[in-house]
Amino acid sequence: MSVSRLFVEADLAAGIEAPLKEAQVHYLRHVMRRPDGAPLLLFNGRDGEWRATLAGRGKKAAVAEVGDCTRAQAAEPDVWLCFAPVKRARIDYIAEKATELGVSVLQPVLTRHTAVERVNVERLRANAIEAAEQTERLSVPEVRAPVDLARLLAQWPEGRRLLMCDETGGGPPIAEALASLDAAARAAPWAVVVGPEGGFAEEELAAFRRIRDVMAVGLGPRILRADTAALAALACWQALVGDWRQPTPRLPTDYRTSKVTV
Ligand code: SAM
């Protein structure tokens, strides 16, 4: 039986009962057809990952009876993705893939040429949670409400490096730029920023250049869609600066399945 992995809000410790949301119980009982005793893996972004078992409580409710800890909470790269919202299917795709690529924050940014004004933050957060469960992260990225680019840059956090994808040729190739970083720059908090379908406006490119820790980079000779650019830049960043530089942890082969016969 494959083990369902769930994000929960509750603190996690051996022997406690973690409440499950109605939608989680519905998914476990009616989609995955899990009986009492079914194995679960829980994480909450603070206490690491824990083995648990499903336990019914009354007619419809259920809890997770928490057992032992499988993985301690570990530091993860601090890289934001600041992106101009695109149309529904593709913004959901950005949320899912950027979560798999390890972002800590998803920040929709309204720019002069942004074609989409309204962003359903709750839906993006649900996509991010589902992706974090599947990708076996120990955290879920924070999904923030859209912010105007000028305001974001006016409040840019001191010390956070800004990797700005500039399709107008305003920077060196991304691999060359990231490969030249010193250890302090690699260890700094970062943000990857991509523009909308219509690209950044002139005054926006000028505003980026006023940020002390900005690094404008190119993503090759072709114009990439905003979602492609965001994920390509994040992949380069993880490979050259982030946690793709560490070997993939070796997990026991039965980690994802449980020998529990219920
Ligand atoms: N102005 C063009 C347009 O209207 O199609 C480009 C916009 S592009 C679709 C959206 C964003 O992706 C750009 O603002 C930039 O951040 C990023 N991007 C796309 N291709 C890129 C490239 N070759 N180099 C750097 N960034 C790129």
Side-chain angles (χ1 to χ4, degrees):
M1 174 189 285
S2 70
V3 180
S4 296
R5 188 168 186 275
L6 298 175
F7 174 72
V8 294
E9 308 283 353
D11 291 340
L12 293 171
I16 63 122
E17 284 190 358
L20 296 175
K21 290 192 172 131
E22 200 179 319
Q24 289 175 319
V25 177
H26 175 81
Y27 166 74
L28 290 169
R29 290 295 201 205
H30 303 294
V31 176
M32 301 303 286
R33 301 230 171 273
R34 296 288 192 242
D36 278 2
L40 302 171
L41 283 172
L42 305 182
F43 68 105
N44 61 11
R46 302 183 302 279
D47 302 327
E49 181 186 76
W50 293 74
R51 258 190 266 275
T53 51
L54 183 60
R57 288 289 179 274
K59 273 188 91 166
K60 283 195 170 174
V63 294
E65 291 175 342
V66 179
D68 61 325
C69 182
T70 55
R71 284 192 285 161
Q73 193 67 28
E76 295 172 324
D78 180 1
V79 57
W80 296 357
L81 173 63
C82 304
F83 62 102
V86 288
K87 292 185 182 61
R88 178 182 171 126
R90 300 216 329 264
I91 196 170
D92 291 348
Y93 181 79
I94 288 178
E96 178 185 87
K97 298 310 170 198
T99 299
E100 291 174 47
L101 288 168
V103 296
S104 51
V105 168
L106 284 163
Q107 173 63 72
V109 180
L110 303 177
T111 68
R112 181 117 85 74
H113 299 314
T114 299
V116 171
E117 291 292 316
R118 238 180 54 74
V119 173
N120 183 330
V121 173
E122 275 321 300
R123 199 187 68 241
L124 286 191
R125 178 163 161 74
N127 285 321
I129 289 173
E130 197 173 329
E133 291 171 340
Q134 177 276 327
T135 202
E136 296 178 9
R137 281 183 58 151
L138 292 174
S139 66
V140 171
E142 181 191 342
V143 182
R144 293 182 179 166
V147 67
D148 181 77
L149 179 61
R151 185 137 162 257
L152 178 72
L153 295 183
Q155 297 168 344
W156 192 259
E158 184 67 25
R160 183 169 291 273
R161 310 287 298 239
L162 195 161
L163 188 71
M164 194 275 274
C165 298
D166 180 356
E167 81 278 7
T168 64
I174 186 169
E176 180 188 305
L178 294 180
S180 66
L181 292 173
D182 62 22
R186 285 176 196 280
W190 279 81
V192 171
V193 184
V194 292
E197 270 96 4
F200 287 116
E202 241 342 284
E203 75 274 13
E204 291 168 338
L205 292 169
F208 279 115
R209 284 190 276 273
R210 291 194 289 272
I211 300 287
R212 193 171 65 93
D213 291 326
V214 71
M215 177 182 263
V217 293
L219 297 175
R222 289 170 292 281
I223 291 295
L224 308 177
R225 278 190 179 279
D227 42 343
T228 314
L231 304 177
L234 276 172
C236 292
W237 186 88
Q238 283 291 16
L240 294 164
V241 183
D243 61 12
W244 283 10
R245 290 183 298 144
Q246 293 141 24
T248 302
R250 301 198 63 72
L251 295 171
T253 48
D254 67 349
Y255 178 81
R256 293 174 180 85
T257 57
S258 160
K259 298 278 181 276
V260 175
T261 46
V262 283

